[in-house]
Amino acid sequence: VYDTDLLRICYSSLTTPLKWEDYEMRERKFSLVKQKPVLNYDPSLYVSRRTHAKANDGTMIPISLVHRKDIPEGPHPTMLYGYGSYGINMEPSFNAHVLPFLDRGMVYAIAHIRGGEEMGRFWYEEQGKYLSKRNTFSDFINCAEHLIDVEKVIAPGKLAIEGRSAGGLLMGAVLNMRPDLFQVAVAGVPFVDCFNTMSDPSIPLTTGEWEEWGNPNEDKYFDYMLSYSPYDNVREQPYPNILITAGLHDPRVAYWEPEKWAQKLREMTTSDNEVLVKMDLEAGHFSASDRYRYIREKSFEQSVVLHYLGLVDEDCK
């Protein structure tokens, strides 16, 4: 079985659609087996790179970026994506759904914040969960600040951010901490009432989630979780534009969490920016399962982002 000269690999990058290649070990050559087709995509038009932001404690946080090669020098509208929980890595792999952003002159960035395992297991176990969870949120803010102040990537007032599920909790936390940094946020099925949910063991999945967030019924987790729980920390301040998406049949993040969060944001914000909620009456936690309907859902979210960034196509105005 192992007596072979061929090694088959799968490869993808921010500019390279997923492909399968055979590596001929004796000849030291790659031969393409198959590549996922992407309609009207030319990889030579795009470039990706890696940079690092310094966290509050001095830790260097990786950031992956991709944009078109032909955009001029200087700051640009940017979408910054983050997750940072459960030890899940946000791989810098190809995503055709970000091309509408890139082709309108935007930069797309992924913040590889603590809570994932991009830099090893300790990135999650020791520095991104339980009583270290606030690192996740401050890391994301540090990444945004780095792209604005150091790299000069982001144009003033042109930063959009996005996260789903636990990444939606990330959105809620950073919006409470630094709402001035962002122009628009997309929070998908956001786990924003974590303190109340984690305090109630009768809710399905709660007790299992204690392994990630801690049990607030214990003193050591009570105050710490309350310090970042997005719903509990909404206060009177100018929030940016926010799009919240949710599913009525979501078994992981109950529909009332994003609804009550949105209502509290509307009551407390001191700005004229909008807080929008799109509730899918048929979907669960993972949005539409039909691929064409999923594309329509993503198109809606992107149109909202482009609207608030002032990048709407002329024929759509």
Side-chain angles (χ1 to χ4, degrees), residues 11 58 97 101 107 114 129 157 171 185 236 238 245 250 286 306:
Y11 174 78
H97 296 299
F101 289 148
V107 176
R114 284 175 285 188
K129 65 184 294 191
M171 296 297 101
E236 290 190 357
T245 64
D250 191 335
F286 294 99
L306 293 172

Side-chain angles (χ1 to χ4, degrees), residues 23-61:
Y23 179 63
E24 301 173 15
M25 289 180 276
R26 292 187 183 277
E27 300 293 329
R28 297 186 178 183
K29 293 181 180 179
F30 286 99
S31 59
L32 181 66
V33 177
K34 179 183 178 182
Q35 185 165 28
K36 185 176 180 179
V38 179
L39 187 65
N40 297 326
Y41 176 69
D42 181 357
S44 68
L45 299 178
Y46 304 87
V47 63
S48 63
R49 64 185 180 92
R50 172 72 53 82
T51 187
H52 293 80
K54 181 177 287 188
N56 293 337
D57 61 2
T59 301
M60 301 305 292
I61 311 300

Side-chain angles (χ1 to χ4, degrees), residues 143-163:
C143 289
E145 292 172 331
H146 178 82
L147 294 177
I148 294 170
D149 299 328
V150 179
E151 296 275 338
K152 309 294 185 182
V153 167
I154 302 172
K158 296 291 186 179
L159 174 57
I161 57 174
E162 182 180 6

